[in-house]
Amino acid sequence: MTTKSGLRPDLRQRHVRMIALGGIIGASLFIGSGAVIHTVGPAAVLSYALGGLLVVLVMRMLGEMATAAPSLGSFMEYARDALGGWAGFTIGWLYWYFWVGVVAFEAVAGAKILQGWIPGVPQWVFSLALMLLLTATNLASARSFGETEFWLASVKVATIVVFLVLGLLFVLGLWPGGHFSVGNIGLDGFVPHGGFSVVHGVVIVIFSYFGAEIVTIAAAESDQPETAVRKATSTIVWRVIVFYVGSVTLLVMITPWREIPSETSPFAAAFGRFGVPAASTIVSAVVLTAALSVLNSGLYTASRMLFALRRHGWAPAWISDTNARGVPWKAILASTSVGYVAVVMSYVSPDKIFYFIINSAGAVALFVYAIICGSQLRMRRTLEASSPEKLKLRMWGYPWLSWVTLALTLAVVASMLFVDEDARSQLYLSLISLAVILGVYALIRRRSGSAPRRTRP
């Protein structure tokens, strides 16, 4: 049996649930949270909360559209239908470009961990090995991807749950060696670097949340897409509060914030305080599984978005080929080939080509969120007029809260100009990527004489 897209609904509900649960937890939480805390202070809790709030609102808007019209292309399809071909083309290719860059970045990050354990092997060997391993997993079947992601995500989720339990006992003085340390969150002031540092923190952490939307793409290959999307988007509030805000809150309670490491994992340091033996090695292994999870999901997501783009004539015809197991194998190989090139560039030209690939997709998440907001505002009005029964999951406070979400997204984009040089560089390079994609769409439309028409694979 195949879906309307031509792919097989091989993902089970437990796969989709774990993708939703673990998709929001990336290696950046385990490693990057220390740097955010040093940038903002204990008020990093607010940065994670505000960034999480924006993601929750965007996901609610996306959930409304996805339950009304489940589709493999997800927000790419909604943007095309609601805003026009330019929006679908732009968001689809931007999203694909983002994930092929992330795939390379995670392969390099995973290789660094492995080389720390086996220093005699060059990093590039590990990077390519990880890429080949996860490419094979994705080529096998959608169920193979789902099963791999289920277990990789399970490790992340289990680690966070254990940390939350032990951390709570520790700060309440109920764990051996611990004492009541809740007051650490206000040590030296809650916002020691001023209010704008919280905004700076939001700019940094917002990208940690990107990936929550993957579930709306994966659900299209499940046997119950509407149910899967509705559950995933309805539970994202507590996932953000517990996994991110809860974890960071405990980190600044367990250890005075100036003593939290910024270059290494603050979670490893916390587990060390709990008395867990080989805490650093254990957390490194968890970070490796997190990197592999993102790499695995990135390959899947990029290939499905590329496959969906072909349905409208926005990608080469051969992209639509599937094998006997209903896997778009050419779309997978096309996506991974860019990842392989990027991995090679990370060693040949790390400060130029690889830097450009990674940073030119830096603000793409916010561009995607903005287009999702615009799509929901238009699509909701259309559904209410024609098919109100399809609105099984509704955005809160429509239309005012939808407009507020769009304004907040654009405000975060604008703030990238003022926080630091890295953020400005990412924004400028991302705007170049956006301009190139819009230019390509204009050329395609001019050559065809009209917007590209939908073609079935």
Side-chain angles (χ1 to χ4, degrees), residues 26 32 55 58 106 114 117 142 149 186 202-203 208 210 215 248 255 272 298 307 310 313 320 345 381 397 410 430 444:
V55 173
V58 172
E106 297 297 336
L114 289 173
W117 297 343
E149 189 59 24
V202 172
V203 172
S208 302
F210 202 52
V215 67
V248 175
T255 308
F307 184 81
R310 170 56 203 154
S320 61
M345 289 303 103
R381 187 163 62 244
L410 296 177
S430 296
I444 292 175

Side-chain angles (χ1 to χ4, degrees), residues 394-418:
R394 294 171 180 261
M395 173 60 179
W396 309 297
Y398 172 85
W400 309 112
L401 196 52
S402 296
W403 282 109
V404 168
T405 305
L406 176 58
L408 289 174
T409 302
L410 296 177
V412 175
V413 173
S415 66
M416 294 180 71
L417 291 169
F418 306 103

Side-chain angles (χ1 to χ4, degrees), residues 102-284:
V102 168
V103 163
F105 179 83
E106 297 297 336
V108 172
K112 289 180 179 178
I113 295 173
L114 289 173
Q115 193 186 44
W117 297 343
I118 313 174
V121 179
Q123 276 190 29
W124 67 267
V125 173
F126 284 126
S127 294
L128 293 181
L130 294 178
M131 289 279 291
L132 288 170
L133 175 64
L134 275 304
T135 300
T137 298
N138 275 264
L139 286 173
S141 65
R143 184 174 298 184
S144 174
F145 153 75
E147 198 66 28
T148 302
E149 189 59 24
F150 177 86
W151 292 108
L152 290 174
S154 295
V155 174
K156 299 186 292 184
V157 172
T159 302
I160 292 295
V161 170
V162 171
F163 171 76
L164 291 172
V165 172
L166 297 186
L168 184 60
L169 293 174
F170 188 88
V171 300
L172 294 177
L174 302 177
W175 186 258
H179 61 279
F180 190 80
S181 57
V182 173
N184 280 340
I185 197 170
L187 200 64
D188 296 330
F190 185 65
V191 194
H193 299 312
F196 188 73
S197 67
V198 176
V199 178
H200 187 176
V202 172
V203 172
I204 299 172
V205 306
I206 192 68
F207 304 107
S208 302
Y209 290 112
F210 202 52
E213 72 291 334
I214 289 175
V215 67
T216 64
I217 296 175
E221 286 186 77
S222 71
D223 50 358
Q224 296 177 296
E226 291 183 19
T227 301
V229 170
R230 186 168 61 251
K231 288 182 177 179
T233 53
S234 297
T235 58
I236 191 171
V237 175
W238 71 260
R239 283 183 279 137
V240 166
I241 293 173
V242 172
F243 292 147
Y244 274 89
V245 180
S247 295
V248 175
T249 299
L250 284 176
L251 284 174
V252 295
M253 288 180 176
I254 291 167
T255 308
W257 70 272
R258 294 185 188 277
E259 299 177 21
I260 293 176
S262 59
E263 300 294 331
T264 58
S265 173
F267 286 85
F271 275 115
R273 280 179 171 262
F274 300 158
V276 176
S280 180
T281 302
I282 292 172
V283 173
S284 291

Side-chain angles (χ1 to χ4, degrees), residues 310-323:
R310 170 56 203 154
R311 298 173 66 198
H312 303 292
W314 292 336
W318 51 267
I319 290 294
S320 61
D321 291 350
T322 58
N323 62 20

Side-chain angles (χ1 to χ4, degrees), residues 65 71 73-92 308-314 371-372 374-376 378-379 441 451-455:
M65 296 185 289
S71 172
S74 185
F75 41 84
M76 185 272 287
E77 297 288 356
Y78 311 140
R80 172 184 175 271
D81 293 339
L83 302 176
W86 70 270
F89 183 91
T90 300
I91 197 173
L309 282 164
R310 170 56 203 154
R311 298 173 66 198
H312 303 292
W314 292 336
I371 295 178
I372 288 174
S375 302
Q376 188 268 341
R378 178 70 63 84
M379 187 172 172
Y441 177 77
R453 296 179 179 179
R454 178 182 176 122
T455 57

Side-chain angles (χ1 to χ4, degrees), residues 370-387:
I371 295 178
I372 288 174
C373 292
S375 302
Q376 188 268 341
L377 282 161
R378 178 70 63 84
M379 187 172 172
R380 172 67 175 267
R381 187 163 62 244
T382 302
L383 287 172
E384 285 185 334
S386 60
S387 307

